[in-house]
Amino acid sequence: MEGSVGGLDTPLEISSRVDDIADRLITAIAVGEYLPGSRLPSERDLAASLRVGRMTVRAAISRLVREGLLRTQRGRGGGSFVQNSLSAAAGNSAHPAVHRVLGSRWEVLKDTSEAIAHLQGAVCRAAAENRSEDDIAVLEQCLEAFRRAASGSESQIADEQLHLAIGAAAHNQTLSALLLDLEARVSISAPRHPWGDAEGMRRMEERALRDHEKLIAAIAGQRSAEAGDLGRMHARIDLEMLDNALRRSAPESTVMNTRAKQKQDGN
């Protein structure tokens, strides 16, 4: 997207394109946009979204296959799949990539994420004001699907469907399109929300379920102000996922300096 301010979809320089794409794919795995077992977009789609050649994307994928993060499968239903979580496959060797991608764009990420939170609140408020009985039936079905979904990819997809249903219930295509556009700007590689690492994933899903239940109840009850507040707070989970990944990827020296500063500030 020409002139984008989102920070993660800017064109790559000619030099180090393979390195940059590999870093972005590693980071997408680290933050849980791609979970173990999930399939990456096709080489053509990745090349189009990052505005590089397919050979460059292919070289980056090949590197991650060698590092044990991805596996490739030929034939019908084939493609590139996440083989392992970041910690299981690449260990600390991949952390600098995550730090490079998130650290260099952090201020823009925070700014865009805050805009997303406010816009999500507006969409949820509009849904409470404009929803129909048919919309409520769909929202309740999506909520139940999220409640029953297995942890990980199934839950991630159910979450996506629920939020799309909220956007539809708002009956405002401009608001919904703006929200999807902003969310794409903070997406590192996949058109999905960050889902975290395996260690904290279940706690995050339980928190999201509580948020979803309160939010759907507010929309169904046409409590627009409450729905707006809930939607805005709920949207901030994504930035927390990114912040956690950035903290995990920080070099030990940075962590020690941060702890020392916190200790100094506390005195």
Side-chain angles (χ1 to χ4, degrees):
M1 182 179 306
E2 197 68 33
S4 169
V5 296
L8 288 175
D9 54 356
T10 52
L12 301 177
E13 299 295 331
I14 294 177
S15 61
S16 303
R17 285 184 172 181
V18 173
D19 292 339
D20 287 336
I21 293 174
D23 282 358
R24 293 187 192 197
L25 294 176
I26 288 169
T27 305
I29 294 170
V31 303
E33 285 188 1
Y34 296 126
L35 297 173
S38 63
R39 181 168 61 181
L40 270 62
S42 68
E43 290 178 1
R44 177 183 298 175
D45 289 343
L46 278 174
S49 65
L50 294 171
R51 280 175 284 171
V52 295
R54 289 181 64 179
M55 293 301 294
T56 305
V57 170
R58 187 171 300 170
I61 289 174
S62 295
R63 178 180 300 178
L64 299 192
V65 169
R66 292 194 298 271
E67 293 179 2
L69 272 174
L70 301 178
R71 64 177 176 85
T72 56
Q73 179 177 316
R74 297 187 181 278
R76 191 178 185 86
S80 299
F81 296 82
V82 179
Q83 176 78 358
N84 289 300
S85 66
L86 183 66
S87 58
N92 292 332
S93 65
H95 287 183
V98 179
H99 201 72
R100 283 191 295 270
V101 170
L102 296 181
S104 64
R105 300 164 169 88
W106 190 246
E107 290 306 315
V108 175
L109 278 172
K110 286 200 300 183
D111 186 80
T112 308
S113 294
E114 184 64 17
I116 288 171
H118 285 289
L119 194 54
Q120 179 72 71
V123 169
C124 291
R125 185 183 185 110
E129 293 172 349
N130 300 328
R131 96 293 184 275
S132 66
E133 292 303 316
D134 287 343
D135 292 326
I136 295 303
V138 172
L139 288 170
E140 290 177 347
Q141 290 172 4
C142 290
L143 177 61
E144 185 60 24
F146 184 84
R147 186 180 289 117
R148 293 178 177 274
S151 180
S153 295
E154 187 177 329
S155 185
Q156 185 183 43
I157 293 170
D159 174 82
E160 177 185 343
Q161 294 302 310
L162 176 59
H163 283 280
L164 288 174
I166 292 172
H171 294 281
N172 189 306
Q173 293 184 358
T174 301
L175 268 180
S176 297
L178 284 172
L179 179 58
L180 291 174
D181 177 66
L182 280 182
E183 289 178 340
R185 295 187 188 190
V186 297
S187 174
I188 296 162
S189 181
R192 286 182 179 161
H193 293 282
W195 218 245
D197 63 351
E199 182 178 345
M201 188 180 300
R202 192 56 192 158
R203 290 193 301 274
M204 184 276 294
E205 291 167 345
E206 291 170 350
R207 171 186 170 185
L209 176 59
R210 292 192 296 271
D211 286 356
H212 289 161
E213 290 173 337
K214 293 176 183 177
L215 180 55
I216 300 309
I219 292 173
Q222 294 188 303
R223 300 190 297 274
S224 58
E226 181 184 350
D229 290 342
L230 288 168
R232 186 173 64 254
M233 290 185 293
H234 178 68
R236 293 196 170 106
I237 292 179
D238 284 3
L239 186 61
E240 290 181 28
M241 296 291 101
L242 297 176
D243 183 58
N244 289 339
L246 179 62
R247 290 175 184 274
R248 289 194 302 270
S249 71
E252 184 61 28
S253 59
T254 302
V255 175
M256 292 177 65
N257 290 338
T258 300
R259 289 173 179 169
K261 185 177 184 305
Q262 290 173 339
K263 184 177 181 180
Q264 185 179 15
D265 292 342
N267 289 337

